[in-house]
Amino acid sequence: MNWIEGFLFFLNAVSSDLVSKDPGTVGGLADIHTDNHIPDIESASIAIVGISSAEPQLRLSGADAIRRKLYKLYHHGNDIRLADLGNIVSGSTDNDNETALREVISPLISRGIAVIIIGGKQQLTFANYRAYQVLETTVNIATIDSQIDLGEFRDSLGGHNYLSKIILHEPGFLFNISILGYQTYLIDPESLALVEKLFFDAHRIGALTADLRDAEPHLRNADIVSIDMNSIRESDAPGTFQPNGFTGEQICQLCKYVGLSDKTSSIGIYNYNPELDSNGQGALLIAQMIWFVLDGFSRRVKEYPLIHKKDFVEYKVIMPGAGDELIFYKSVRTDKWWLNVPYTTTSSFGRPRPYVLPCSYKDYEAACEGDVPDIYWRTYQKLT
C-alpha cells in the first residue's frame, strides 16, 4: 500500500451536492475528493481536511456547512494548488478522530503540503502537534483564544487542558506558545503565572485590538495556528455565547497574517457548532476566514535574513549600560522585521549561534529607547 492509499483510508469523500465548480471561485480552483475522483495530492501545495464529529447528530455537518459557503467565494490571489481531501472518517470516540487526524497530517507536512483543518473540537490541536514529530524539529504554536487552556494535565484530554498535554508530552519538541486574544476575567491567575514562568507569550484582546499588527510577528513565527471560534463575539459568530471578542473583520485580518506566513504549515478552526448557527452566519464567517488564509498563502514571499541577505537591511542598536548589541533585520520587499538572538550552547564550543525570530517595528523602537524587547528576553531564556 502506498502512502496515498493508506492516507485515503482515513477520509470520506465530499458529497457531490457540495461541489461547486463555478469558474473563478474557490470551488472551481479546488481539486476535491469525491466518490468518483481522487485529488492529485502529491501536486497540492495546501489541503483542506474536515473533521467528523463523534456525535451522530452533528456528523459531517459542520465541515460541510463551511464548504457550502467557501466554494462560492471568488479567488483573487495568485494561483495555488488546493486539494480538498474530504472528512476524517468518524470513529466512535474523540480519540479515534485524533488518531486519524495525526495519521493524515504527518505525511502532508512531511511533503511540504500545508493543511487547513475545519470542524471538531480544539483539543485536536494536540493531535495536530503530535503529527509534527515526524519532522524531528522544534515547533511553535499560536492559539487565538479567549482562554488559556492549561487545565489539569491528569484529566482526560479536553478543550480545557490540551495545552498542558502539549507542554508535557514526551518526546518534547515544543519551543514556544503564543496565546492571542485572551480575556482576563476568564483566566485563572495561576495560568497566567505559569505562562510567564515558561516564557511563553500571552496577549490580552484589548491590547491586540488596539493595534492588530502586534499579532503579526507571533503568527509569522508559528508552525501551527489553532483558532477557537469562541474567541469571536457572538454578534459576529452565532453560538459562541461571548459578548466580547474579536470582530469578524479582525479575525479575518489575523487569518490573512497566517496565510502570509511562510512558516505556518497547519491551521485549525475549531468549536464551530452548526446546531447553533441557524442562519449560516458562522459558517460564512469561517469560509471567509479560510478565504483570507488562501489569499495570503497565494501571496507568500519566502524570506529569511540569514539566507536572503541581499533583501534585508541590517540595523544595530547598542544597548546603554551593558553595551550589548541588538541586531535587527528589515525586509526591503515586505517591510517586515526580524531580531537576532545570539546564544551559546555546549555543542557550539562557546561560540554564539544566531536565532532569528520575527518581531515588529515597535520592538526596534523599544531597543532604540534602551529597552530590551520582551520577545528577545523570552526567547533568550528558552534558548539558554
Side-chain angles (χ1 to χ4, degrees):
M1 178 185 296
N2 63 34
W3 79 273
I4 293 180
E5 291 174 337
F7 178 93
L8 291 174
F9 173 79
F10 295 101
L11 294 160
N12 280 326
V14 176
S15 176
S16 58
D17 67 340
L18 295 171
V19 177
S20 171
K21 285 293 185 180
D22 294 337
T25 64
V26 175
L29 173 73
D31 189 5
I32 302 171
H33 178 198
T34 62
D35 287 332
N36 54 14
H37 176 73
I38 295 175
D40 183 2
I41 301 173
E42 291 186 306
S43 296
S45 56
I46 186 167
I48 293 174
V49 176
I51 303 298
S52 305
S53 172
E55 303 169 35
Q57 72 272 22
L58 297 180
R59 185 162 298 181
L60 300 182
S61 60
D64 288 350
I66 296 164
R67 284 186 175 96
R68 183 171 284 114
K69 303 293 186 180
L70 174 64
Y71 287 155
K72 295 177 181 179
L73 303 180
Y74 284 91
H75 177 69
H76 289 262
N78 301 318
D79 289 341
I80 55 174
R81 299 186 303 277
L82 171 66
D84 186 337
L85 307 182
N87 296 306
I88 297 290
V89 175
S90 181
S92 58
T93 66
D94 287 334
N95 185 62
D96 293 334
N97 286 345
E98 292 154 12
T99 300
L101 181 63
R102 186 171 71 249
E103 293 297 319
V104 167
I105 292 176
S106 284
L108 292 174
I109 60 173
S110 65
R111 290 167 171 82
I113 303 170
V115 186
I116 299 174
I117 305 159
I118 53 175
K121 302 175 183 178
Q122 197 177 23
Q123 67 199 53
L124 289 168
T125 307
F126 182 49
N128 190 2
Y129 167 74
R130 292 181 64 189
Y132 279 71
Q133 188 170 334
V134 69
L135 298 183
E136 298 182 346
T137 187
T138 56
V139 168
N140 293 331
I141 298 173
T143 174
I144 299 174
D145 203 334
S146 61
Q147 302 193 55
I148 300 176
D149 299 313
L150 287 169
E152 175 55 55
F153 168 76
R154 286 179 288 268
D155 291 348
S156 299
L157 174 65
H160 69 292
N161 69 348
Y162 74 91
L163 287 179
S164 294
K165 298 287 187 179
I166 289 173
I167 293 168
L168 296 174
H169 176 69
E170 293 292 343
F173 48 95
L174 175 71
F175 184 74
N176 188 55
I177 297 176
S178 295
I179 301 159
L180 306 176
Y182 77 86
Q183 299 179 32
T184 309
Y185 38 75
L186 301 177
I187 308 302
D188 178 354
E190 292 183 1
S191 294
L192 277 175
L194 181 57
V195 169
E196 285 288 325
K197 183 178 180 180
L198 295 173
F199 302 106
F200 294 152
D201 305 303
H203 299 269
R204 293 183 300 107
I205 187 168
L208 286 182
T209 54
D211 190 346
L212 212 58
R213 292 173 297 181
D214 291 343
E216 188 276 332
H218 300 285
L219 295 170
R220 187 173 9 128
N221 198 36
D223 301 279
I224 298 169
V225 175
S226 173
I227 300 178
D228 186 343
M229 287 299 293
N230 293 305
S231 65
I232 306 167
R233 64 186 187 185
E234 187 178 28
S235 58
D236 289 33
T240 64
F241 302 112
Q242 292 286 357
N244 294 307
F246 290 113
T247 66
E249 289 178 323
Q250 289 165 345
I251 196 68
C252 285
Q253 179 60 63
L254 293 175
C255 286
K256 181 65 171 286
Y257 290 148
V258 173
L260 288 169
S261 166
D262 60 14
K263 184 175 183 179
T264 303
S265 50
S266 63
I267 172 175
I269 303 175
Y270 303 108
N271 292 337
Y272 165 65
N273 187 341
E275 296 289 298
L276 302 176
D277 186 26
S278 58
N279 65 356
Q281 179 180 332
L284 180 56
L285 176 58
I286 296 176
Q288 292 176 356
M289 291 162 62
I290 296 170
W291 185 95
F292 276 94
V293 172
L294 296 176
D295 186 68
F297 187 89
S298 75
R299 304 174 196 273
R300 283 186 174 185
V301 176
K302 291 189 179 297
E303 54 182 4
Y304 186 68
L306 299 185
I307 297 176
H308 310 102
K309 294 183 179 180
K310 65 180 179 61
D311 296 322
F312 287 84
V313 177
E314 182 179 295
Y315 296 85
K316 296 182 178 180
V317 181
I318 305 298
M319 302 305 294
D324 293 332
E325 182 180 75
L326 296 187
I327 301 176
F328 291 83
Y329 305 95
K330 179 185 177 182
S331 168
V332 298
R333 293 193 292 173
T334 63
D335 287 337
K336 293 176 181 176
W337 289 78
W338 280 258
L339 172 58
N340 182 61
V341 183
Y343 68 102
T344 302
T345 67
T346 55
S347 62
S348 65
F349 303 101
R351 294 190 299 271
R353 303 172 61 187
Y355 182 91
V356 180
L357 75 155
C359 68
S360 68
Y361 177 62
K362 288 183 180 179
D363 294 314
Y364 173 70
E365 288 184 310
C368 291
E369 294 294 325
D371 297 324
V372 176
D374 287 342
I375 196 170
Y376 179 98
W377 171 249
R378 293 177 186 278
T379 303
Y380 182 78
Q381 292 298 317
K382 291 195 287 286
L383 288 170
T384 57

